[in-house]
Amino acid sequence: MRTQVGIVGGGPAGLLLSHLLHLEGIESVVLERRSREGLETTVRAGVLEHGTARLLREVGVGERMLREGSVHHGIELRFDGRGHRIDFADLTDGLSITIYGQQEVVKDLVRARLEAGGKVLFDTEAASVYDLDTESPRIHFFQDGEEEEISCDYVAGCDGSLGVCRTGIPENARTEFTRTYPFGWFGILVEGPPSTEELIYTLHDRGFALVSTRSPEVQRLYFQCNPQDDVEEWPDERIWAELSTRLATHDGWELTGGRIFQKDIVQMRSFICEPMQHGRLFLAGDAAHIVPPTGAKGMNLAVADIRVLAHALTEFYRSGDRGSLDAYSETCLRRVWRAQRFSWWMTSMLHRFDRSDPFQLKVQQAELDYVTTSRAAATTIAENYVGAALNISHPL
Ligand code: PHB
């Protein structure tokens, strides 16, 4: 088998790349380990930056997002029993975020690719990538128990943090930067009405909590937990009690309940692999970097990588110019580190690191007090959250 761009991984990064290349007349094949159903039902984050939502619209896959997604113009930061709104529209000249689940983005992209006759191979496990330093790199993969090979001009490694592509960069040619946090997020999906119109991020003496949403009927909530916790240790009543305590306000705000139909624990980690390219291999999304979810940057960073990569590949196939391909890693890493900084900072401000350290809690509360009362400080949250501060090479 042969194609122009071999794409390992059919998450948002791989599928979007395949779609953008198709719009430019460039052929690709996507290899995805999971089944179509498994892929489309994997629940991940749900916040699209302003520029991410705009890109999806511009490239023709935003129609359902426009109908079913919900546009938010701010978030609430809650601490000391009081809520404070960060008004994105006011602080960033009218920008916003769109709440639309990652699996919905994936569904829309899969449909667009298949309708256009694109090749997306599900249940296909990439085993290794090699000959990356040659004109014709290859991907080995397994399909129906058979070992197969695809050769291409370029390989896009969009196969997540546990994928094989990153190991295609020799160990002595890459540097990995990691930070693990001493807590996890306990996440629940709830069938029931929303408690609030906008997301609420809260810092309480007992730890962080977040009220998010997926749709008018499905809510997504999280609270800081011990990363070693087991979901079995958290019966529904204990979860509701913990969330209600952390989210309580002096004026008696109430959390709306519902039926919990999924529980999971998200590990919190920062990770970056430098460089994001080697020979004819280009890493994008989680294969190259992981952010803790506090800044809601994960999928947005993947989309930003793909925007750069699709543009560079298009330039190469149109004119033979490799300048943008050569600069891929450097171009992406600037934004990646800025998003990493924002995610790390939000994480640091909003979690309890050491319950026996009241000084640190007071400093965090003072920081929250500052970002919710100074227009300059509030602007730094708003412009990072909507993504405007991260658009270095592609201004909004
Ligand atoms: C989510 O809805 O899953 C979500 C929202 C905001 C975050 C992280 C996750 O910061």
Side-chain angles (χ1 to χ4, degrees):
M1 213 193 285
R2 207 198 128 76
T3 189
Q4 289 178 295
V5 181
I7 302 175
V8 185
L15 291 165
L16 180 63
L17 178 62
S18 181
H19 178 71
L20 296 182
L21 293 177
H22 163 72
L23 296 180
E24 299 292 344
I26 301 163
E27 190 193 284
S28 66
V29 175
V30 178
L31 309 177
E32 169 54 38
R33 184 175 53 79
R34 287 163 289 181
S35 65
R36 180 173 178 185
E37 204 207 331
L39 177 73
E40 291 185 349
T41 52
T42 305
V43 174
R44 301 281 298 274
V47 176
L48 307 183
E49 286 173 2
H50 187 82
T52 304
R54 196 178 71 172
L55 176 76
L56 295 177
R57 279 198 317 271
E58 282 172 358
V59 301
V61 288
E63 193 222 324
R64 199 164 62 91
M65 173 191 76
L66 279 179
R67 247 185 303 124
E68 296 176 18
S70 79
V71 174
H72 288 199
H73 297 283
I75 53 170
E76 180 180 327
L77 295 180
R78 190 176 283 187
F79 59 99
D80 233 355
R82 281 185 191 83
H84 308 261
R85 183 160 188 259
I86 302 289
D87 186 332
F88 296 157
D90 175 38
L91 296 165
T92 65
D93 280 335
L95 302 186
S96 58
I97 52 166
T98 299
I99 307 298
Y100 190 61
Q102 175 169 325
Q103 77 277 16
E104 305 305 324
V105 174
V106 163
K107 276 184 213 163
D108 297 342
L109 287 166
V110 167
R111 169 135 33 95
R113 286 313 295 124
L114 297 181
E115 278 175 11
K119 290 198 200 89
V120 184
L121 309 182
F122 295 102
D123 302 296
T124 299
E125 174 120 37
S128 59
V129 288
Y130 58 105
D131 287 350
L132 301 171
D133 290 316
T134 72
E135 298 270 294
S136 187
R138 287 178 290 162
I139 307 167
H140 255 208
F141 62 94
F142 287 96
Q143 201 181 31
D144 299 326
E146 300 282 315
E147 190 165 353
E148 314 238 8
E149 183 184 276
I150 182 163
S151 75
C152 28
D153 300 333
Y154 289 99
V155 176
C158 307
D159 53 346
S161 61
L162 304 174
V164 297
C165 287
R166 194 171 60 251
T167 57
I169 306 181
E171 232 165 277
N172 61 8
R174 67 181 135 100
T175 308
E176 298 188 343
F177 301 84
T178 308
R179 168 137 315 181
T180 49
Y181 300 89
F183 40 75
W185 276 15
F186 197 106
I188 56 170
L189 278 168
V190 179
E191 191 184 298
S195 307
T196 161
E197 282 182 13
E198 294 180 339
L199 272 56
I200 302 171
Y201 288 79
T202 190
L203 171 65
H204 183 270
D205 189 24
R206 295 179 60 81
F208 170 80
L210 168 61
V211 184
S212 180
T213 182
R214 282 291 176 274
S215 70
E217 297 82 33
V218 176
Q219 312 313 320
R220 181 74 165 142
L221 294 97
Y222 301 94
F223 57 93
Q224 175 182 352
C225 67
N226 184 326
Q228 269 91 46
D229 274 2
D230 191 321
V231 290
E232 302 300 323
E233 294 163 48
W234 287 90
D236 295 4
E237 314 76 68
R238 185 175 172 214
I239 292 174
W240 289 120
E242 192 64 43
L243 281 167
S244 299
T245 304
R246 295 191 193 184
L247 286 156
T249 63
H250 296 305
D251 56 13
W253 184 85
E254 276 193 35
L255 180 62
T256 310
R259 184 179 69 85
I260 300 178
F261 64 94
Q262 191 183 305
K263 302 178 186 177
D264 54 272
I265 294 178
V266 182
Q267 301 299 327
M268 302 282 284
R269 192 157 74 94
S270 297
F271 170 83
I272 293 184
C273 169
E274 288 194 11
M276 289 167 56
Q277 70 194 86
H278 179 78
R280 287 182 168 237
L281 168 71
F282 297 86
L283 302 179
D286 285 4
H289 40 72
I290 298 287
V291 286
T294 325
K297 289 287 162 238
M299 176 168 48
N300 294 295
L301 272 185
V303 168
D305 290 348
I306 293 305
R307 188 198 286 254
V308 175
L309 185 54
H311 175 260
L313 287 166
T314 302
E315 198 169 274
F316 167 76
Y317 281 110
R318 274 204 199 140
S319 67
D321 181 355
R322 291 188 190 177
S324 297
L325 278 174
D326 291 344
Y328 171 74
S329 181
E330 199 183 321
T331 306
C332 290
L333 281 169
R334 195 162 162 217
R335 182 194 187 102
V336 166
W337 273 110
R338 284 169 71 147
Q340 193 68 266
R341 182 211 66 85
F342 176 65
S343 306
W344 160 85
W345 173 65
M346 288 282 279
T347 303
S348 311
M349 180 168 66
L350 286 162
H351 292 76
R352 274 321 297 269
F353 281 74
D354 178 355
R355 294 275 296 275
S356 63
D357 185 353
F359 178 85
Q360 191 178 0
L361 177 64
K362 289 282 185 190
V363 171
Q364 286 172 246
Q365 287 170 340
E367 186 159 28
L368 282 161
D369 184 22
Y370 175 53
V371 296
T372 52
T373 51
S374 152
R375 187 173 175 89
T379 303
T380 70
I381 292 207
E383 68 179 10
N384 278 279
Y385 203 97
V386 302
L390 307 171
N391 285 314
I392 307 145
S393 51
H394 295 273
L396 279 169

